[in-house]
Amino acid sequence: MRNVYLVTAFVVVLAVSILGFRGTPFTKPPIDVFPEWAFPGMKRQPKPYPQGASRFFADGRADRPLPPGVVSRDPLRNDYALYEGKAADGSWLRGFPSALTVDAKLMARGKERFTIYCAPCHGAVGDGNGITKQYGMGATPTYHDPRLRDMAEGEIFNTITHGKNNMLSYADKLLPEDRWAVILYVRALQRAQTGTVSDVPADHRKELGL
Ligand code: HEC
């Protein structure tokens, strides 16, 4: 019988000591079973904090001033058309940046990059029926939708750069110039689906039986 009291008391003390201190903030650092001085590691290494002090440098600052002769990259990227897909007034650029030469070479590059990076989802003809559809990715839109046909080139550039919902960013895989090349090829795919008889040179129309 005495044991019952003892066990009950023990359980109460145990419960209070475990549950009672939950969430209690401690002001002292926790006890280190393996103290840093005896087992040096990387847990607490000296490091400079932003705008902090440092005894290492003569001027006492942790932040280092820029070495002489440093050039900012920003002015090199101030072509908003090429790098942001935007016109001077901030709207989405229509057409292609003047820094690029739109020619067959750019088209060939675009076709190659498109086939690698876009066709798996958007399909070789841009109808959204890429291989990923068979594996359950059903929401890839077709480029032959009036909305995407009318979309400004700059907005497509923005989608490639930043991604959209299930489509991730391709900024780390395609240089800005390559993104424009891909857009040029996307335009070709769209144009290819909207061809009419008048696109066929007159002397070839007979071959179509017209
Ligand atoms: C992993 C599959 C996948 C790949 C690869 C992919 N896309 Fe997409 N893309 C999508 C999906 C899904 C959407 C629909 C996003 C939404 O609107 O929710 C989309 C939407 C778009 C849109 C329409 C955006 C809009 O505003 O409605 C464009 C344009 C586009 N993709 C171009 C590209 C280009 C160019 C590439 C290659 C660089 C590419 N995509 C690669 C899945 C993909």
Side-chain angles (χ1 to χ4, degrees), residues 114 119 121-130 133 140-144 189 193:
F114 177 91
C121 291
H122 287 277
V125 292
D127 57 1
N129 289 323
K133 195 168 198 173
T140 313
T142 165
Y143 294 147
H144 313 304
L189 289 177
Q193 299 287 316

Side-chain angles (χ1 to χ4, degrees), residues 117-118 121-122 137 139-141 143 147-148 151 156 159-160 164-167 170 174 182:
Y117 292 112
C118 320
C121 291
H122 287 277
M137 183 144 188
T140 313
Y143 294 147
R147 188 178 69 85
L148 294 185
M151 186 178 272
I156 301 179
T159 298
I160 302 175
K164 193 178 178 194
N165 299 328
N166 280 347
M167 178 180 149
Y170 283 80
L174 295 168
V182 165

Side-chain angles (χ1 to χ4, degrees), residues 72-84 157 161 171 175-177 179:
S72 162
R73 276 167 48 138
D74 288 349
L76 302 176
R77 295 182 68 98
N78 68 357
D79 186 338
Y80 284 112
L82 188 60
Y83 297 114
E84 303 288 341
F157 182 87
T161 307
L175 292 172
E177 292 77 2
R179 286 172 232 162

